[in-house]
Amino acid sequence: AGFFERLEQRVAAADSLLCIGLDPRPGDIGLDGYGQFSERDTPLPDNGSEITSRLVDWAAGIIEKTLPYAAAYKPNAAFYEAFGASGVAALEKIIAAIPAEVPVILDCKRGDIGATAQAYAAAAYGSLRADAVTLNAYMGWDAVQPFLQDSRKGGFVLIKTSNPGSEDFQQLQLAGGTPSAGSERLFERIAERIADWSPALGAVVGATDIEALHAIRSRYPDMWILCPGIGAQGGSLEQSLAAALRNDGQGILPVVARGITRADDPGAAARDYRDAIRAAKAARPAA
Ligand code: OMP
């Protein structure tokens, strides 16, 4: 089955839309201060297997407590690559340990010329065995296509991101709007393209811009939206869901990473988010 079909099966089975980010910092595994920038001649660390096992244990603890509430997990590759080869080894093991019915979205925001994107796709799907990836479409369709050649896999393209810098380019008004559609912003044009490119693509729209969530949902009633920025970045779960739930009560994956992984009790935090999602679905006006 295709990625979004499998995602919808998991969402229905767990009655949850929660996407849990697995982004370990050195302090999370007792290595505060690890990763100082080094000169070329600095010797390589010799504690590689210890780092791998600490990362794997950290993730296993969170997955064990949060699995019933998770629609999907989203490890961000940066936090593993930061530990070098041992971190990437841990990421492989962590993805392999997540039950196959729970989709894994590898957050790597890829997008390079086709031949290179092909190699990145091999890394994401061949080595790491992720189910889907996050993508940066700045380089266009040939940078995205290699991630969709396998019909079981899918991608979420950055549309309106959660960070302050998302105002720098994504909001730019494009010249030459049509009389019917009016003026158009860059992020809206990208959303239009991905809707044409493939049904295996969803949109990343951050929880910090409720207007953008509204704009994308009203234009694309069926598109899946990955919605980070809840918890540590201050976005509202309730407002995001009110803006972007589909009529069928699916269609948006609110992402929480630090808000769960750094909670005193990650299991209770995930359950609370899951319960808030159920409440928001129950509260929405009848279609
Ligand atoms: P927390 O702020 O700890 O919940 O982490 C958010 C996660 O979502 C990080 O892995 C970010 O890289 C990612 N993210 C954003 O925060 N904002 C975006 O606009 C897009 C992403 C993403 O693609 O997931």
Side-chain angles (χ1 to χ4, degrees):
F3 169 71
F4 286 112
E5 204 178 317
R6 286 186 293 127
L7 176 63
E8 285 169 6
Q9 283 166 9
R10 172 61 189 172
V11 166
D15 188 7
S16 177
L17 295 161
L18 182 63
C19 179
I20 300 177
L22 296 173
D23 297 350
R25 271 74 170 178
D28 291 322
I29 59 165
L31 292 176
D32 259 316
Y34 180 90
Q36 297 300 314
F37 296 0
S38 303
E39 299 298 331
R40 290 279 307 283
D41 55 4
T42 309
L44 293 171
D46 57 6
N47 57 345
S49 58
E50 169 68 15
I51 290 177
T52 301
S53 67
R54 285 191 196 196
L55 287 166
V56 169
D57 291 349
W58 172 85
I62 291 163
I63 293 163
E64 190 196 317
K65 296 183 188 96
T66 59
L67 191 63
Y69 317 116
Y73 286 99
K74 185 184 76 69
N76 186 312
F79 295 98
Y80 300 88
E81 291 174 20
F83 292 101
S86 349
V88 176
L91 180 56
E92 268 177 29
K93 291 176 197 276
I94 291 165
I95 294 175
I98 294 172
E101 68 271 18
V102 183
V104 174
I105 301 162
L106 178 68
D107 188 1
C108 52
K109 301 184 178 68
R110 295 297 189 212
D112 201 328
I113 62 165
T116 308
Q118 190 61 53
Y120 278 131
Y125 300 148
S127 297
L128 293 171
R129 288 107 195 259
D131 299 294
V133 289
T134 56
L135 297 166
N136 183 336
Y138 193 70
M139 289 176 69
W141 168 238
D142 59 306
V144 166
Q145 192 278 335
F147 294 93
L148 303 179
Q149 64 202 332
D150 182 326
S151 62
R152 297 166 298 181
K153 308 293 186 183
F156 290 91
V157 173
L158 302 176
I159 296 295
K160 178 64 173 63
T161 55
S162 65
N163 56 318
S166 71
E167 306 290 319
D168 288 345
F169 306 120
Q170 297 167 22
Q171 292 275 32
L172 289 177
Q173 296 281 345
L174 304 181
T178 60
S180 61
S183 68
E184 194 183 25
R185 291 165 289 181
L186 178 58
F187 79 85
E188 292 168 311
R189 177 70 60 85
I190 300 173
E192 208 177 291
R193 283 291 91 81
I194 69 165
D196 289 344
W197 283 343
S198 168
L201 288 174
V204 178
V205 183
T208 50
D209 188 343
I210 300 299
E211 190 271 328
L213 280 166
H214 266 297
I216 296 301
R217 174 55 72 225
S218 60
R219 186 91 198 270
Y220 307 99
D222 299 325
M223 188 181 277
W224 269 97
I225 296 173
L226 185 73
C227 182
I230 292 159
Q233 297 177 57
S236 157
L237 176 76
E238 287 75 14
Q239 288 178 30
S240 301
L241 292 175
L245 275 169
R246 288 191 315 217
N247 287 338
D248 68 354
Q250 295 209 14
I252 170 170
L253 287 178
V255 176
V256 184
R258 284 167 291 178
I260 289 174
T261 61
R262 296 202 153 175
D264 292 335
D265 182 344
R271 192 191 54 229
D272 289 348
Y273 278 113
R274 191 277 315 265
D275 290 345
I277 290 166
R278 289 183 177 176
K281 280 170 60 172
R284 97 206 121 105

mmCIF file of all heavy atoms in Angstrom, residues 125-166:
data_model
loop_
_atom_site.group_PDB
_atom_site.id
_atom_site.type_symbol
_atom_site.label_atom_id
_atom_site.label_comp_id
_atom_site.label_asym_id
_atom_site.label_seq_id
_atom_site.Cartn_x
_atom_site.Cartn_y
_atom_site.Cartn_z
ATOM 1 N N TYR A 125 15.696 5.283 2.209
ATOM 2 C CA TYR A 125 14.789 4.134 2.057
ATOM 3 C C TYR A 125 15.538 2.797 2.004
ATOM 4 O O TYR A 125 14.981 1.769 2.384
ATOM 5 C CB TYR A 125 13.987 4.264 0.758
ATOM 6 C CG TYR A 125 13.118 5.496 0.651
ATOM 7 C CD1 TYR A 125 12.886 6.092 -0.591
ATOM 8 C CD2 TYR A 125 12.502 6.065 1.775
ATOM 9 C CE1 TYR A 125 12.063 7.202 -0.718
ATOM 10 C CE2 TYR A 125 11.684 7.180 1.653
ATOM 11 C CZ TYR A 125 11.472 7.741 0.399
ATOM 12 O OH TYR A 125 10.662 8.836 0.271
ATOM 13 N N GLY A 126 16.771 2.820 1.479
ATOM 14 C CA GLY A 126 17.529 1.579 1.362
ATOM 15 C C GLY A 126 18.250 1.262 2.650
ATOM 16 O O GLY A 126 18.085 0.185 3.224
ATOM 17 N N SER A 127 19.041 2.222 3.165
ATOM 18 C CA SER A 127 19.797 1.957 4.390
ATOM 19 C C SER A 127 18.944 2.145 5.635
ATOM 20 O O SER A 127 18.894 1.286 6.497
ATOM 21 C CB SER A 127 21.011 2.886 4.475
ATOM 22 O OG SER A 127 21.881 2.624 3.407
ATOM 23 N N LEU A 128 18.279 3.296 5.722
ATOM 24 C CA LEU A 128 17.545 3.595 6.956
ATOM 25 C C LEU A 128 16.135 3.011 6.971
ATOM 26 O O LEU A 128 15.527 2.894 8.027
ATOM 27 C CB LEU A 128 17.496 5.116 7.177
ATOM 28 C CG LEU A 128 18.850 5.763 7.473
ATOM 29 C CD1 LEU A 128 18.746 7.286 7.469
ATOM 30 C CD2 LEU A 128 19.397 5.298 8.824
ATOM 31 N N ARG A 129 15.607 2.660 5.812
ATOM 32 C CA ARG A 129 14.279 2.031 5.714
ATOM 33 C C ARG A 129 13.133 2.904 6.211
ATOM 34 O O ARG A 129 12.134 2.404 6.759
ATOM 35 C CB ARG A 129 14.226 0.695 6.475
ATOM 36 C CG ARG A 129 14.999 -0.409 5.805
ATOM 37 C CD ARG A 129 16.263 -0.706 6.553
ATOM 38 N NE ARG A 129 17.181 -1.509 5.754
ATOM 39 C CZ ARG A 129 17.337 -2.805 5.892
ATOM 40 N NH1 ARG A 129 16.612 -3.462 6.745
ATOM 41 N NH2 ARG A 129 18.206 -3.429 5.154
ATOM 42 N N ALA A 130 13.278 4.219 6.077
ATOM 43 C CA ALA A 130 12.174 5.117 6.428
ATOM 44 C C ALA A 130 11.002 4.891 5.476
ATOM 45 O O ALA A 130 11.168 4.365 4.369
ATOM 46 C CB ALA A 130 12.641 6.562 6.345
ATOM 47 N N ASP A 131 9.810 5.299 5.912
ATOM 48 C CA ASP A 131 8.613 5.192 5.077
ATOM 49 C C ASP A 131 8.382 6.447 4.240
ATOM 50 O O ASP A 131 7.710 6.403 3.217
ATOM 51 C CB ASP A 131 7.379 4.966 5.962
ATOM 52 C CG ASP A 131 7.497 3.688 6.747
ATOM 53 O OD1 ASP A 131 7.489 2.613 6.119
ATOM 54 O OD2 ASP A 131 7.635 3.746 7.981
ATOM 55 N N ALA A 132 8.882 7.579 4.738
ATOM 56 C CA ALA A 132 8.674 8.862 4.056
ATOM 57 C C ALA A 132 9.778 9.809 4.502
ATOM 58 O O ALA A 132 10.512 9.526 5.460
ATOM 59 C CB ALA A 132 7.297 9.444 4.418
ATOM 60 N N VAL A 133 9.887 10.924 3.800
ATOM 61 C CA VAL A 133 10.934 11.914 4.103
ATOM 62 C C VAL A 133 10.333 13.316 4.066
ATOM 63 O O VAL A 133 9.250 13.521 3.508
ATOM 64 C CB VAL A 133 12.085 11.856 3.070
ATOM 65 C CG1 VAL A 133 12.913 10.597 3.236
ATOM 66 C CG2 VAL A 133 11.549 11.981 1.651
ATOM 67 N N THR A 134 11.057 14.268 4.624
ATOM 68 C CA THR A 134 10.728 15.675 4.382
ATOM 69 C C THR A 134 11.626 16.179 3.254
ATOM 70 O O THR A 134 12.775 15.761 3.123
ATOM 71 C CB THR A 134 10.914 16.536 5.640
ATOM 72 O OG1 THR A 134 12.258 16.373 6.113
ATOM 73 C CG2 THR A 134 9.936 16.140 6.740
ATOM 74 N N LEU A 135 11.073 17.069 2.430
ATOM 75 C CA LEU A 135 11.754 17.497 1.207
ATOM 76 C C LEU A 135 11.718 19.013 1.058
ATOM 77 O O LEU A 135 10.742 19.662 1.440
ATOM 78 C CB LEU A 135 11.063 16.862 -0.014
ATOM 79 C CG LEU A 135 11.122 15.340 -0.081
ATOM 80 C CD1 LEU A 135 10.137 14.808 -1.127
ATOM 81 C CD2 LEU A 135 12.534 14.873 -0.406
ATOM 82 N N ASN A 136 12.779 19.533 0.481
ATOM 83 C CA ASN A 136 12.870 20.949 0.154
ATOM 84 C C ASN A 136 12.785 21.057 -1.366
ATOM 85 O O ASN A 136 13.657 20.553 -2.073
ATOM 86 C CB ASN A 136 14.210 21.486 0.669
ATOM 87 C CG ASN A 136 14.366 22.962 0.428
ATOM 88 O OD1 ASN A 136 13.736 23.531 -0.470
ATOM 89 N ND2 ASN A 136 15.220 23.593 1.206
ATOM 90 N N ALA A 137 11.745 21.689 -1.876
ATOM 91 C CA ALA A 137 11.472 21.676 -3.319
ATOM 92 C C ALA A 137 12.108 22.844 -4.063
ATOM 93 O O ALA A 137 11.782 23.068 -5.241
ATOM 94 C CB ALA A 137 9.964 21.660 -3.564
ATOM 95 N N TYR A 138 13.014 23.576 -3.407
ATOM 96 C CA TYR A 138 13.608 24.755 -4.057
ATOM 97 C C TYR A 138 14.217 24.394 -5.406
ATOM 98 O O TYR A 138 14.178 25.195 -6.340
ATOM 99 C CB TYR A 138 14.675 25.355 -3.129
ATOM 100 C CG TYR A 138 15.148 26.727 -3.529
ATOM 101 C CD1 TYR A 138 14.314 27.829 -3.417
ATOM 102 C CD2 TYR A 138 16.442 26.919 -4.009
ATOM 103 C CE1 TYR A 138 14.753 29.093 -3.773
ATOM 104 C CE2 TYR A 138 16.888 28.182 -4.367
ATOM 105 C CZ TYR A 138 16.040 29.266 -4.252
ATOM 106 O OH TYR A 138 16.476 30.522 -4.599
ATOM 107 N N MET A 139 14.800 23.189 -5.538
ATOM 108 C CA MET A 139 15.447 22.810 -6.802
ATOM 109 C C MET A 139 14.485 22.182 -7.800
ATOM 110 O O MET A 139 14.901 21.792 -8.902
ATOM 111 C CB MET A 139 16.649 21.888 -6.527
ATOM 112 C CG MET A 139 17.811 22.671 -5.883
ATOM 113 S SD MET A 139 19.232 21.682 -5.411
ATOM 114 C CE MET A 139 19.888 21.197 -7.011
ATOM 115 N N GLY A 140 13.215 22.052 -7.446
ATOM 116 C CA GLY A 140 12.227 21.622 -8.433
ATOM 117 C C GLY A 140 11.964 20.115 -8.459
ATOM 118 O O GLY A 140 12.461 19.361 -7.623
ATOM 119 N N TRP A 141 11.169 19.718 -9.443
ATOM 120 C CA TRP A 141 10.611 18.367 -9.512
ATOM 121 C C TRP A 141 11.673 17.280 -9.561
ATOM 122 O O TRP A 141 11.549 16.235 -8.928
ATOM 123 C CB TRP A 141 9.664 18.269 -10.715
ATOM 124 C CG TRP A 141 9.237 16.886 -11.081
ATOM 125 C CD1 TRP A 141 9.419 16.275 -12.279
ATOM 126 C CD2 TRP A 141 8.522 15.944 -10.255
ATOM 127 N NE1 TRP A 141 8.874 15.004 -12.248
ATOM 128 C CE2 TRP A 141 8.320 14.785 -11.021
ATOM 129 C CE3 TRP A 141 8.051 15.977 -8.945
ATOM 130 C CZ2 TRP A 141 7.666 13.661 -10.526
ATOM 131 C CZ3 TRP A 141 7.395 14.853 -8.443
ATOM 132 C CH2 TRP A 141 7.205 13.710 -9.239
ATOM 133 N N ASP A 142 12.765 17.494 -10.337
ATOM 134 C CA ASP A 142 13.750 16.406 -10.438
ATOM 135 C C ASP A 142 14.472 16.171 -9.117
ATOM 136 O O ASP A 142 15.061 15.113 -8.903
ATOM 137 C CB ASP A 142 14.747 16.644 -11.580
ATOM 138 C CG ASP A 142 15.509 17.943 -11.423
ATOM 139 O OD1 ASP A 142 14.876 19.001 -11.270
ATOM 140 O OD2 ASP A 142 16.760 17.905 -11.442
ATOM 141 N N ALA A 143 14.412 17.148 -8.192
ATOM 142 C CA ALA A 143 15.010 16.973 -6.875
ATOM 143 C C ALA A 143 14.080 16.189 -5.938
ATOM 144 O O ALA A 143 14.508 15.662 -4.919
ATOM 145 C CB ALA A 143 15.334 18.336 -6.267
ATOM 146 N N VAL A 144 12.808 16.130 -6.294
ATOM 147 C CA VAL A 144 11.786 15.494 -5.458
ATOM 148 C C VAL A 144 11.459 14.087 -5.963
ATOM 149 O O VAL A 144 11.278 13.147 -5.189
ATOM 150 C CB VAL A 144 10.506 16.381 -5.464
ATOM 151 C CG1 VAL A 144 9.301 15.638 -4.913
ATOM 152 C CG2 VAL A 144 10.764 17.684 -4.695
ATOM 153 N N GLN A 145 11.431 13.942 -7.278
ATOM 154 C CA GLN A 145 10.947 12.706 -7.912
ATOM 155 C C GLN A 145 11.646 11.434 -7.412
ATOM 156 O O GLN A 145 10.971 10.420 -7.196
ATOM 157 C CB GLN A 145 11.053 12.851 -9.441
ATOM 158 C CG GLN A 145 10.349 11.785 -10.236
ATOM 159 C CD GLN A 145 11.182 10.509 -10.382
ATOM 160 O OE1 GLN A 145 12.406 10.553 -10.304
ATOM 161 N NE2 GLN A 145 10.498 9.381 -10.564
ATOM 162 N N PRO A 146 12.976 11.436 -7.215
ATOM 163 C CA PRO A 146 13.619 10.182 -6.782
ATOM 164 C C PRO A 146 13.056 9.626 -5.469
ATOM 165 O O PRO A 146 13.157 8.429 -5.217
ATOM 166 C CB PRO A 146 15.098 10.572 -6.626
ATOM 167 C CG PRO A 146 15.272 11.706 -7.588
ATOM 168 C CD PRO A 146 13.978 12.485 -7.505
ATOM 169 N N PHE A 147 12.446 10.483 -4.657
ATOM 170 C CA PHE A 147 11.895 10.021 -3.383
ATOM 171 C C PHE A 147 10.498 9.416 -3.548
ATOM 172 O O PHE A 147 9.917 8.950 -2.566
ATOM 173 C CB PHE A 147 11.854 11.187 -2.385
ATOM 174 C CG PHE A 147 13.223 11.674 -2.013
ATOM 175 C CD1 PHE A 147 13.818 12.721 -2.699
ATOM 176 C CD2 PHE A 147 13.938 11.054 -1.005
ATOM 177 C CE1 PHE A 147 15.093 13.155 -2.380
ATOM 178 C CE2 PHE A 147 15.216 11.470 -0.674
ATOM 179 C CZ PHE A 147 15.795 12.534 -1.365
ATOM 180 N N LEU A 148 9.961 9.467 -4.773
ATOM 181 C CA LEU A 148 8.600 8.971 -5.002
ATOM 182 C C LEU A 148 8.553 7.807 -5.969
ATOM 183 O O LEU A 148 7.484 7.328 -6.320
ATOM 184 C CB LEU A 148 7.726 10.111 -5.541
ATOM 185 C CG LEU A 148 7.653 11.352 -4.668
ATOM 186 C CD1 LEU A 148 6.776 12.408 -5.340
ATOM 187 C CD2 LEU A 148 7.125 11.021 -3.276
ATOM 188 N N GLN A 149 9.731 7.343 -6.430
ATOM 189 C CA GLN A 149 9.709 6.308 -7.470
ATOM 190 C C GLN A 149 9.204 4.978 -6.928
ATOM 191 O O GLN A 149 8.745 4.137 -7.698
ATOM 192 C CB GLN A 149 11.099 6.150 -8.078
ATOM 193 C CG GLN A 149 12.104 5.656 -7.059
ATOM 194 C CD GLN A 149 13.521 5.989 -7.441
ATOM 195 O OE1 GLN A 149 13.842 6.118 -8.612
ATOM 196 N NE2 GLN A 149 14.383 6.124 -6.454
ATOM 197 N N ASP A 150 9.284 4.782 -5.618
ATOM 198 C CA ASP A 150 8.744 3.573 -4.997
ATOM 199 C C ASP A 150 7.367 3.926 -4.450
ATOM 200 O O ASP A 150 7.245 4.801 -3.587
ATOM 201 C CB ASP A 150 9.689 3.128 -3.879
ATOM 202 C CG ASP A 150 9.221 1.838 -3.205
ATOM 203 O OD1 ASP A 150 7.998 1.625 -3.079
ATOM 204 O OD2 ASP A 150 10.096 1.061 -2.797
ATOM 205 N N SER A 151 6.332 3.253 -4.957
ATOM 206 C CA SER A 151 4.961 3.672 -4.632
ATOM 207 C C SER A 151 4.611 3.463 -3.161
ATOM 208 O O SER A 151 3.605 3.963 -2.689
ATOM 209 C CB SER A 151 3.967 2.923 -5.519
ATOM 210 O OG SER A 151 4.087 1.540 -5.255
ATOM 211 N N ARG A 152 5.454 2.748 -2.393
ATOM 212 C CA ARG A 152 5.183 2.565 -0.961
ATOM 213 C C ARG A 152 5.661 3.753 -0.132
ATOM 214 O O ARG A 152 5.382 3.838 1.057
ATOM 215 C CB ARG A 152 5.889 1.306 -0.439
ATOM 216 C CG ARG A 152 5.390 0.027 -1.078
ATOM 217 C CD ARG A 152 6.338 -1.107 -0.795
ATOM 218 N NE ARG A 152 7.660 -0.848 -1.378
ATOM 219 C CZ ARG A 152 8.695 -1.688 -1.309
ATOM 220 N NH1 ARG A 152 8.579 -2.829 -0.682
ATOM 221 N NH2 ARG A 152 9.847 -1.376 -1.874
ATOM 222 N N LYS A 153 6.434 4.655 -0.755
ATOM 223 C CA LYS A 153 7.073 5.741 -0.006
ATOM 224 C C LYS A 153 6.385 7.076 -0.300
ATOM 225 O O LYS A 153 5.694 7.222 -1.313
ATOM 226 C CB LYS A 153 8.558 5.827 -0.383
ATOM 227 C CG LYS A 153 9.311 4.510 -0.276
ATOM 228 C CD LYS A 153 9.437 4.003 1.153
ATOM 229 C CE LYS A 153 10.320 2.762 1.221
ATOM 230 N NZ LYS A 153 10.411 2.214 2.589
ATOM 231 N N GLY A 154 6.595 8.047 0.576
ATOM 232 C CA GLY A 154 5.970 9.351 0.385
ATOM 233 C C GLY A 154 6.851 10.475 0.896
ATOM 234 O O GLY A 154 7.910 10.234 1.491
ATOM 235 N N GLY A 155 6.419 11.708 0.670
ATOM 236 C CA GLY A 155 7.218 12.855 1.101
ATOM 237 C C GLY A 155 6.346 14.004 1.569
ATOM 238 O O GLY A 155 5.192 14.136 1.146
ATOM 239 N N PHE A 156 6.905 14.815 2.454
ATOM 240 C CA PHE A 156 6.277 16.064 2.889
ATOM 241 C C PHE A 156 7.189 17.203 2.461
ATOM 242 O O PHE A 156 8.348 17.269 2.880
ATOM 243 C CB PHE A 156 6.102 16.094 4.407
ATOM 244 C CG PHE A 156 5.068 15.138 4.933
ATOM 245 C CD1 PHE A 156 5.422 13.854 5.323
ATOM 246 C CD2 PHE A 156 3.732 15.521 5.036
ATOM 247 C CE1 PHE A 156 4.472 12.973 5.818
ATOM 248 C CE2 PHE A 156 2.771 14.639 5.524
ATOM 249 C CZ PHE A 156 3.141 13.364 5.920
ATOM 250 N N VAL A 157 6.658 18.091 1.629
ATOM 251 C CA VAL A 157 7.459 19.198 1.098
ATOM 252 C C VAL A 157 7.270 20.443 1.974
ATOM 253 O O VAL A 157 6.140 20.789 2.344
ATOM 254 C CB VAL A 157 7.044 19.491 -0.359
ATOM 255 C CG1 VAL A 157 7.739 20.746 -0.877
ATOM 256 C CG2 VAL A 157 7.363 18.293 -1.250
ATOM 257 N N LEU A 158 8.369 21.121 2.266
ATOM 258 C CA LEU A 158 8.304 22.368 3.049
ATOM 259 C C LEU A 158 7.463 23.392 2.305
ATOM 260 O O LEU A 158 7.751 23.722 1.150
ATOM 261 C CB LEU A 158 9.717 22.926 3.268
ATOM 262 C CG LEU A 158 10.707 21.995 3.983
ATOM 263 C CD1 LEU A 158 12.094 22.639 4.036
ATOM 264 C CD2 LEU A 158 10.228 21.643 5.379
ATOM 265 N N ILE A 159 6.421 23.876 2.945
ATOM 266 C CA ILE A 159 5.546 24.878 2.329
ATOM 267 C C ILE A 159 5.626 26.182 3.125
ATOM 268 O O ILE A 159 6.039 27.211 2.618
ATOM 269 C CB ILE A 159 4.083 24.359 2.284
ATOM 270 C CG1 ILE A 159 4.000 23.113 1.383
ATOM 271 C CG2 ILE A 159 3.132 25.449 1.795
ATOM 272 C CD1 ILE A 159 4.308 23.333 -0.080
ATOM 273 N N LYS A 160 5.230 26.121 4.390
ATOM 274 C CA LYS A 160 5.344 27.311 5.257
ATOM 275 C C LYS A 160 5.895 26.797 6.588
ATOM 276 O O LYS A 160 5.171 26.148 7.345
ATOM 277 C CB LYS A 160 3.979 27.979 5.428
ATOM 278 C CG LYS A 160 3.991 29.194 6.348
ATOM 279 C CD LYS A 160 4.843 30.326 5.807
ATOM 280 C CE LYS A 160 4.730 31.606 6.615
ATOM 281 N NZ LYS A 160 5.198 31.479 7.994
ATOM 282 N N THR A 161 7.177 27.060 6.835
ATOM 283 C CA THR A 161 7.844 26.423 7.959
ATOM 284 C C THR A 161 7.590 27.191 9.257
ATOM 285 O O THR A 161 7.093 28.324 9.237
ATOM 286 C CB THR A 161 9.355 26.264 7.680
ATOM 287 O OG1 THR A 161 9.907 27.538 7.353
ATOM 288 C CG2 THR A 161 9.579 25.313 6.509
ATOM 289 N N SER A 162 7.929 26.563 10.386
ATOM 290 C CA SER A 162 7.519 27.105 11.690
ATOM 291 C C SER A 162 8.467 28.172 12.233
ATOM 292 O O SER A 162 8.152 28.821 13.220
ATOM 293 C CB SER A 162 7.427 25.960 12.701
ATOM 294 O OG SER A 162 8.708 25.401 12.922
ATOM 295 N N ASN A 163 9.623 28.337 11.587
ATOM 296 C CA ASN A 163 10.648 29.234 12.156
ATOM 297 C C ASN A 163 10.408 30.689 11.757
ATOM 298 O O ASN A 163 9.724 30.965 10.775
ATOM 299 C CB ASN A 163 12.029 28.788 11.640
ATOM 300 C CG ASN A 163 12.108 28.754 10.121
ATOM 301 O OD1 ASN A 163 11.188 28.318 9.456
ATOM 302 N ND2 ASN A 163 13.198 29.251 9.572
ATOM 303 N N PRO A 164 11.005 31.634 12.524
ATOM 304 C CA PRO A 164 10.822 33.058 12.185
ATOM 305 C C PRO A 164 11.270 33.394 10.760
ATOM 306 O O PRO A 164 10.639 34.205 10.079
ATOM 307 C CB PRO A 164 11.706 33.788 13.220
ATOM 308 C CG PRO A 164 11.875 32.826 14.351
ATOM 309 C CD PRO A 164 11.784 31.446 13.775
ATOM 310 N N GLY A 165 12.341 32.767 10.291
ATOM 311 C CA GLY A 165 12.854 33.047 8.949
ATOM 312 C C GLY A 165 11.911 32.618 7.832
ATOM 313 O O GLY A 165 12.163 32.930 6.660
ATOM 314 N N SER A 166 10.840 31.917 8.163
ATOM 315 C CA SER A 166 9.883 31.537 7.116
ATOM 316 C C SER A 166 9.239 32.771 6.495
ATOM 317 O O SER A 166 8.650 32.693 5.423
ATOM 318 C CB SER A 166 8.808 30.599 7.674
ATOM 319 O OG SER A 166 7.936 31.299 8.535
#
